[in-house]
């Protein structure tokens, strides 16, 4: 019989990844404890995670600068979880379907993009250049925000990177958010902050506003904003519609229709699309939002469509005392990666 007092898990393997599970509060918290990578080593098919610790364009409570670190910290749980099944295999309790997450799945963490806290123009250029460089390698940018402003330079960079690798590819933009983020020039914050991202994205060359899909919104919109949304031909799937029809049906139908027009999708997820009962750790206070489960359903739908880049923004761990929000974000990303791998295997 093994002497349990000395039956300790093994140390890290030669490539830096632990060969046996570690307690998830142990070790260095890269995303899902995957190896650190660098831009020059990226290849098509890889997923390149990076953070944008920037919240100087938040119009609500600050704190999303801590988002990348918080999500990484919570994501270590899923590395522990995956390595804790003896044969690295799980079964979905609801479907009976086998779920595998190969150790070899090529995910690397590039760390955080360089930001310049008091220089928005320089920060934006840095974000766009980094996102573009990743995209141009054929890798998949998985982006941890940051307040929602950062999605704008990310999309800009993504479009430029894609033009280099897939010239002529048509891009659809999907915005999962409790809010429209479509102010033109807010009287307090001006034209460039986290409440104008969709508007600024809609003006980017290389993206047709009619190829934009907004999901999960409720509440009031300014008349000017509403008219802009309608006259530009954007698609809106409201929170009410998601509740009535279910996320799976409502989102799948909207994405299927959008994908008849476009080749690839850029998905942006504001964690405040989920009600603050589940996700208090964010700048805005959202009482009427998705349930946690509906976010998981949404990422499963995304995994079945040609998503080529994804960001998850507005996670502010400083309002997250029970760590539910960082877990929600980490689990949504984990589930997206698992489901996407399964969908690729099925094709
Ligand atoms: Mn937003």
């Amino acid at each position: 019989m093994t002497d349990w007092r000395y039956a300790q898990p093994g140390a890290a393997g030669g490539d830096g990844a632990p060969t046996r599970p570690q307690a998830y509060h142990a070790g260095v918290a890269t995303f899902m404890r995957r190896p650190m990578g660098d831009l020059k080593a990226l290849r098509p098919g890889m997923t390149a995670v990076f953070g944008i610790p920037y919240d100087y364009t938040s119009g609500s409570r600050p704190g999303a600068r801590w988002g990348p670190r918080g999500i990484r910290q919570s994501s270590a749980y899923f590395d522990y979880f995956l390595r804790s099944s003896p044969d690295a295999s799980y079964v979905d309790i609801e479907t009976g379907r086998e779920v595998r997450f190969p150790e070899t799945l090529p995910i690397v963490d590039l760390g955080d993009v360089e930001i310049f806290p008091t220089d928005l123009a320089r920060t934006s250029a840095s974000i766009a250049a980094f996102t573009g460089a990743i995209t141009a390698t054929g890798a998949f940018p998985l982006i941890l925000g940051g307040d929602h402003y950062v999605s704008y330079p990310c999309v800009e960079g993504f479009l430029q990177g894609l033009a280099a690798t897939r010239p002529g590819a048509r891009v659809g933009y999907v915005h999962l958010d409790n809010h429209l983020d479509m102010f033109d020039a807010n009287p307090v914050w001006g034209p460039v902050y986290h409440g104008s991202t969709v508007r600024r994205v809609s003006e980017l060359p290389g993206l047709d506003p009619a190829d934009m899909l907004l999901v999960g919104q409720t509440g009031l919109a300014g008349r000017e904003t509403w008219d802009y949304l309608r006259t530009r031909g954007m698609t809106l799937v409201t929170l009410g519609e998601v509740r009535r029809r279910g996320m799976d049906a409502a989102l799948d139908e909207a994405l299927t229709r959008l994908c008849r027009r476009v080749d690839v999708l850029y998905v942006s997820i504001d964690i405040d699309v989920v009600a603050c009962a589940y996700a208090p750790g964010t700048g805005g206070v959202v009482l009427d939002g998705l349930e946690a489960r509906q976010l998981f359903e949404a990422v499963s739908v995304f995994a079945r469509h040609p998503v080529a880049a994804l960001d998850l923004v507005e996670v502010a761990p400083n309002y997250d005392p029970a760590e539910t929000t960082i877990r929600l974000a980490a689990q949504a990303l984990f589930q997206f990666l698992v489901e996407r791998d399964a969908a690729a295997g099925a094709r």
Side-chain angles (χ1 to χ4, degrees):
M1 187 183 141
T2 311
D3 186 337
W4 59 269
R5 287 171 299 180
Y6 301 109
Q8 296 296 323
D15 61 353
T19 52
R20 292 163 180 267
Q22 281 184 293
Y24 77 88
H25 50 272
V28 176
T30 57
F31 182 76
M32 281 185 62
R33 249 203 301 259
R34 298 292 131 158
M36 292 293 289
D38 94 70
L39 196 55
K40 289 186 226 52
L42 293 181
R43 298 286 175 270
M46 292 175 82
T47 296
V49 179
F50 73 96
I52 309 177
Y54 190 87
D55 64 7
Y56 302 85
T57 32
S58 169
S60 53
R61 300 179 296 176
R65 69 184 65 177
W66 305 106
R69 191 164 286 185
I71 297 168
R72 285 188 176 106
Q73 177 195 315
S74 203
S75 75
Y77 172 79
F78 295 96
D79 176 68
Y80 151 79
F81 175 80
L82 288 164
R83 292 173 196 272
S84 297
S85 171
D87 51 3
S89 170
Y90 282 87
V91 176
D92 185 323
I93 290 171
E94 297 211 28
T95 62
R97 190 163 59 92
E98 185 182 34
V99 176
R100 285 190 157 273
F101 197 82
E103 289 283 316
T104 51
L105 208 64
I107 302 170
V108 292
D109 191 329
L110 302 189
D112 291 340
V113 66
E114 194 172 15
I115 60 150
F116 306 90
T118 58
D119 191 338
L120 180 61
R122 202 172 169 203
T123 299
S124 302
S126 171
I127 294 170
F130 200 57
T131 311
I134 292 169
T135 307
T137 68
F140 182 104
L142 187 75
I143 303 155
L144 316 174
D147 76 59
H148 214 161
Y149 166 75
V150 304
S151 300
Y152 168 56
C154 285
V155 175
E156 189 180 23
F158 174 74
L159 291 170
Q160 287 161 3
L162 200 67
T165 45
R166 292 186 59 181
R170 189 161 169 171
V171 177
Y173 173 84
V174 185
H175 189 81
L176 204 68
D177 195 319
N178 190 261
H179 309 101
L180 294 170
D181 294 353
M182 214 183 298
F183 261 106
D184 187 15
N186 182 282
V188 174
W189 302 99
V192 185
Y193 78 122
H194 79 166
S196 63
T197 295
V198 168
R199 187 64 160 254
R200 300 287 84 88
V201 166
S202 78
E203 297 163 346
L204 284 170
L207 198 138
D208 184 339
D211 296 336
M212 296 176 74
L213 168 65
L214 299 122
V215 182
Q217 290 77 16
T218 189
L220 301 177
R223 166 59 61 188
E224 193 274 343
T225 295
W226 184 253
D227 291 345
Y228 186 83
L229 187 160
R230 285 305 183 209
T231 56
R232 296 307 188 280
M234 297 178 192
T235 304
L236 174 65
V237 178
T238 65
L239 177 62
E241 184 177 345
V242 169
R243 286 227 178 92
R244 282 191 300 278
R245 300 183 55 206
M247 178 61 87
D248 194 68
L251 181 60
D252 195 62
E253 185 193 287
L255 281 182
T256 301
R257 197 178 303 132
L258 178 57
C259 288
R260 285 190 205 118
R261 298 162 53 86
V262 305
D263 303 300
V264 296
L265 300 168
Y266 182 105
V267 171
S268 180
I269 302 175
D270 186 327
I271 201 67
D272 80 13
V273 74
V274 178
C276 62
Y278 303 94
T282 189
V285 176
V286 169
L287 298 165
D288 190 16
L290 298 181
E291 295 175 23
R293 184 187 181 112
Q294 292 172 310
L295 178 62
F296 302 143
E297 289 172 357
V299 296
S300 295
V301 176
F302 289 139
R304 303 197 297 263
H305 287 87
V307 177
L310 183 142
D311 70 49
L312 199 162
V313 299
E314 296 283 355
V315 173
N318 48 324
Y319 311 113
D320 195 29
E323 301 185 0
T324 51
T325 315
I326 54 174
R327 178 59 58 87
L328 177 68
Q331 186 166 335
L333 296 176
F334 167 69
Q335 232 165 281
F336 172 72
L337 294 167
V338 168
E339 300 274 345
R340 190 184 56 155
D341 185 53
R347 273 197 287 273

